[in-house]
Amino acid sequence: IKPKPTIFMIFGGTGDLAERKLIPALYNLFLEKYMPKEFAIIGLGRTEYNDDSFKKLLLGGVNKFSRSGKADKDKWADFSKHITYLKSDVNNEADYKKMSDVIEKCEKDWSEPPIIIHYLAVAPKFFPIIAGNLAKVKLADDTDRTRIVIEKPFGHDLQSAKELNALLKGIFAETQIYRIDHYLGKETVQNMLAFRFANALFEPIWNRNFIEHVQISVTEDIGVEDRGGYYDGSGALRDMVQNHILQVLCLVAMEPPVNFDAEEIRNRKVDVLRAMRQFGPDEVRFNTVRGQYSEGWVKGEKVEGYREEKGVDPESNTETFAALKFFIDNWRWQNVPFYVRTGKRMHQKASIISIQFKDVPHLIFPNQSSESWQQNRLIISIQPEMSIRLQVQAKRPGLDMTLNPVDMVFNYDGTYETDTPEAYETLLLDAMKGDQTLFMRGDQVETAWDLIMPVLENWESKKSISFPNYSADSWGPETAEALIAKDGFHWFTMP
Ligand code: BG6
């Protein structure tokens, strides 16, 4: 079903996100005929542009970042007819009046009243100002047609997240607020729901009786690139764990929902966060590890250490790596450790969920070397490989009974011919259609902050750590291996 006529008001229209993600996503939705016939994209920003120069900027972004490659001349011409630029300052109330005029014009000319999406692709300090001004000019109060999309970071800690929620909820209904976590738009992450709840096979064993431990590992090979200024005030725990990793963990651990309604799915996810064991000082000490990368060599090229990156304090104690051991105190997961880790400048870019099942109760095969023995494991690779593999033991062909682990693999490449949509395509389409399933609800965000606050506070109060403590192109600090090895496990890495 096509969405209704829609106006996208993109605050931060000339910024990185619009150029790299939002416009390429909208363009691909247009190519694949998901855009409504009547739509408008209004770029908002302080920089001096006219419609033509703005479109040129965006075309550059599409050519560089779109999954469909360089834009086709005619198709881009058709698409870009819908784009205009409105020079405006988020602090200036009069500029919001100009926005209202544009919206009114569409309302007059179009066949039906449009959905209006205010997309805040700006720094968080502008969220309150924009929301407040939208309210003043009455661009917020149609609860059916007006929506606001908020990019991360949603708050800097629990207190600021609560304040932002309170402010937004004073202006918008929760059904109008779309908090983005782009991981939820990833195809392989969405597939978790299908995998778990459309197959009868796994649910009976998806619990503490059969699962020994779970790992969620999101490693990146890049450093902080040109985002040092933002990142240095954030760190890996805020940047990746509080949002993306905990959201993925919820999908792994949630109870079966009764239907596919946004509220139902989000309720089940919040249940997981609420059941997660709080960290006391001992848990922070024994169950968490932080790291920061030093210089090193990546593919034959020298790269700088974190403290030498642009925008970063040369004595920074911000973590670029975090590993934590979580527990979920409910019937399904009691005493099953969930190990998570994330880091920049690591040896491999890979986002993986690994579920290790308990060992066989009794081994009948003689002479099995422990190296070749691998308990059953389910590996869900989110990216860059998009696959699900089940590791089982099999008999190696030959005259003796030797076993070795083999993989039963479902790989997206080779199974599907269609190109996979980008997370932002899914999320923007859902925002147009009014489907909040893949967006974070206010209480979800706050519960996730609540969970990590003791770790953040503890880390911030203890500055005497010897950073940097892992070199670029490594697997993170040695203590991260120790965190999991002391329980007898190892971090799973893709072959
Ligand atoms: C962002 C973080 O939310 O996610 C970045 O701010 C990180 O630091 C990025 O690099 C990772 O996203 P992806 O889609 O490349 O795995």
Side-chain angles (χ1 to χ4, degrees):
I1 322 154
K2 272 200 184 177
K4 293 188 170 156
T6 305
I7 302 175
F8 274 94
M9 307 291 291
I10 305 185
F11 293 86
T14 58
D16 227 35
L17 186 75
E19 197 183 334
R20 282 170 182 259
K21 298 286 184 190
L22 305 183
I23 300 299
L26 290 169
Y27 177 61
N28 283 323
L29 286 172
F30 176 80
L31 292 185
E32 303 209 350
K33 309 209 175 344
Y34 282 103
M35 292 304 279
K37 214 166 130 251
E38 291 161 322
F39 73 94
I41 300 170
I42 324 253
L44 305 162
R46 271 180 312 178
T47 322
E48 201 65 61
Y49 278 104
N50 58 30
D51 288 352
D52 284 343
S53 55
F54 182 57
K55 288 181 196 179
K56 211 163 148 206
L57 170 86
L58 300 182
L59 176 61
V62 167
N63 285 340
K64 211 154 143 203
F65 302 112
S66 161
R67 71 176 163 93
S68 53
K70 223 166 163 266
D72 172 271
K73 205 166 157 249
D74 293 340
K75 289 188 176 134
W76 173 259
D78 284 347
F79 173 75
S80 64
K81 275 184 209 144
H82 300 261
I83 301 178
T84 48
Y85 183 72
L86 196 60
K87 183 172 179 287
S88 53
D89 178 351
V90 293
N91 295 300
N92 185 357
E93 222 182 293
D95 286 349
Y96 290 77
K97 183 74 192 71
K98 287 197 256 167
M99 295 173 207
S100 301
D101 295 344
V102 179
I103 292 172
E104 261 170 40
K105 184 164 181 335
C106 295
E107 282 173 341
K108 230 193 275 140
D109 295 351
W110 289 0
S111 59
E112 59 178 308
I115 302 293
I116 301 153
I117 298 182
H118 302 294
Y119 200 112
L120 273 50
V122 291
K125 65 175 179 202
F126 297 118
F127 296 168
I129 303 168
I130 296 174
N133 279 328
L134 287 174
K136 277 190 201 152
V137 292
K138 304 227 169 309
L139 279 180
D141 44 2
D142 188 329
T143 49
D144 286 337
R145 288 200 294 120
T146 317
R147 294 167 198 160
I148 186 162
V149 182
I150 306 269
E151 271 291 332
K152 68 171 273 250
F154 195 92
H156 186 71
D157 52 19
L158 177 61
Q159 185 55 31
S160 53
K162 277 186 170 167
E163 284 165 16
L164 182 55
N165 266 335
L167 181 131
L168 290 174
K169 285 180 185 179
I171 297 170
F172 298 93
E174 179 63 38
T175 49
Q176 293 176 276
I177 309 172
Y178 289 68
R179 299 174 192 78
I180 290 250
D181 183 315
H182 79 280
Y183 263 63
L184 296 180
K186 289 185 192 276
E187 198 61 47
T188 32
V189 172
Q190 290 182 68
N191 191 41
M192 274 303 296
L193 288 172
F195 184 77
R196 282 197 59 200
F197 304 124
N199 296 295
L201 200 56
F202 297 101
E203 194 48 28
I205 56 169
W206 207 261
N207 57 50
R208 65 190 297 272
N209 300 321
F210 294 90
I211 292 177
E212 192 169 62
H213 81 270
V214 176
Q215 294 179 23
I216 301 173
S217 170
V218 180
T219 55
E220 296 184 275
D221 50 4
I222 53 169
V224 290
E225 303 193 295
D226 50 5
R227 297 163 70 230
Y230 147 76
Y231 195 89
D232 208 32
S234 171
L237 204 54
R238 286 190 172 93
D239 188 50
M240 297 294 290
V241 179
Q242 186 272 342
N243 36 68
H244 308 322
I245 290 187
L246 285 179
Q247 287 299 315
V248 171
L249 185 147
C250 285
L251 289 169
V252 176
M254 70 197 268
E255 293 300 314
V258 294
N259 58 35
F260 204 61
D261 284 354
E263 284 323 294
E264 173 65 12
I265 305 262
R266 299 194 297 176
N267 285 342
R268 296 294 76 83
K269 287 168 72 184
V270 176
D271 286 346
V272 176
L273 293 171
R274 285 175 42 232
M276 289 179 76
R277 195 177 299 168
Q278 283 286 335
F279 283 82
D282 280 349
E283 283 81 18
V284 178
R285 197 151 131 236
F286 297 117
N287 294 347
T288 72
V289 167
R290 55 180 157 159
Q292 188 191 73
Y293 63 83
S294 63
E295 58 180 24
W297 292 85
V298 177
K299 294 183 191 102
E301 255 182 56
K302 182 99 195 279
V303 297
E304 295 198 303
Y306 176 69
R307 288 178 176 179
E308 285 78 58
E309 301 272 20
K310 205 167 87 214
V312 172
D313 175 355
E315 290 178 15
S316 172
N317 278 333
T318 298
E319 81 285 355
T320 59
F321 174 96
L324 300 96
K325 175 174 158 185
F326 289 110
F327 286 100
I328 303 172
D329 286 330
N330 63 14
W331 276 52
R332 186 185 288 267
W333 295 115
Q334 193 58 234
N335 289 336
V336 178
F338 280 69
Y339 303 95
V340 311
R341 72 168 172 181
T342 183
K344 298 225 178 258
R345 273 279 181 251
M346 296 189 58
H347 180 61
Q348 195 178 51
K349 174 175 171 65
S351 302
I352 307 159
I353 305 165
S354 154
I355 293 164
Q356 181 159 315
F357 293 92
K358 289 189 172 167
D359 212 348
V360 292
H362 168 62
L363 193 59
I364 60 167
F365 304 98
N367 310 325
Q368 283 311 307
S369 74
S370 55
E371 292 91 77
S372 69
W373 184 255
Q374 169 55 55
Q375 290 160 236
N376 295 152
R377 206 157 43 183
L378 183 72
I379 312 293
I380 300 166
S381 177
I382 297 173
Q383 63 183 26
E385 182 180 299
M386 296 169 62
S387 64
I388 300 182
R389 49 183 74 214
L390 184 61
Q391 293 191 329
V392 294
Q393 291 288 339
K395 178 187 177 301
R396 184 195 286 273
L399 296 176
D400 54 359
M401 193 64 183
T402 306
L403 308 186
N404 70 325
V406 293
D407 286 359
M408 295 163 72
V409 185
F410 152 54
N411 207 322
Y412 281 65
D413 278 352
T415 305
Y416 301 114
E417 277 174 10
T418 46
D419 202 8
T420 314
E422 286 264 356
Y424 274 95
E425 293 171 41
T426 305
L427 297 173
L428 290 173
L429 184 60
D430 283 357
M432 284 191 267
K433 288 181 174 167
D435 182 349
Q436 291 187 302
T437 313
L438 301 179
F439 294 85
M440 292 189 295
R441 210 169 54 190
D443 55 341
Q444 251 174 311
V445 179
E446 287 181 19
T447 319
W449 274 118
D450 194 34
L451 180 70
I452 69 152
M453 279 321 288
V455 185
L456 269 180
E457 282 164 2
N458 186 296
W459 284 3
E460 280 169 7
S461 69
K462 295 203 176 86
K463 300 277 187 201
S464 57
I465 17 134
S466 45
F467 274 177
N469 61 353
Y470 71 97
S471 56
D473 198 29
S474 73
W475 282 112
E478 280 170 14
T479 41
E481 191 56 41
L483 172 83
I484 188 165
K486 68 182 179 220
D487 296 338
F489 311 130
H490 295 286
W491 291 107
F492 174 80
T493 51
M494 288 299 272

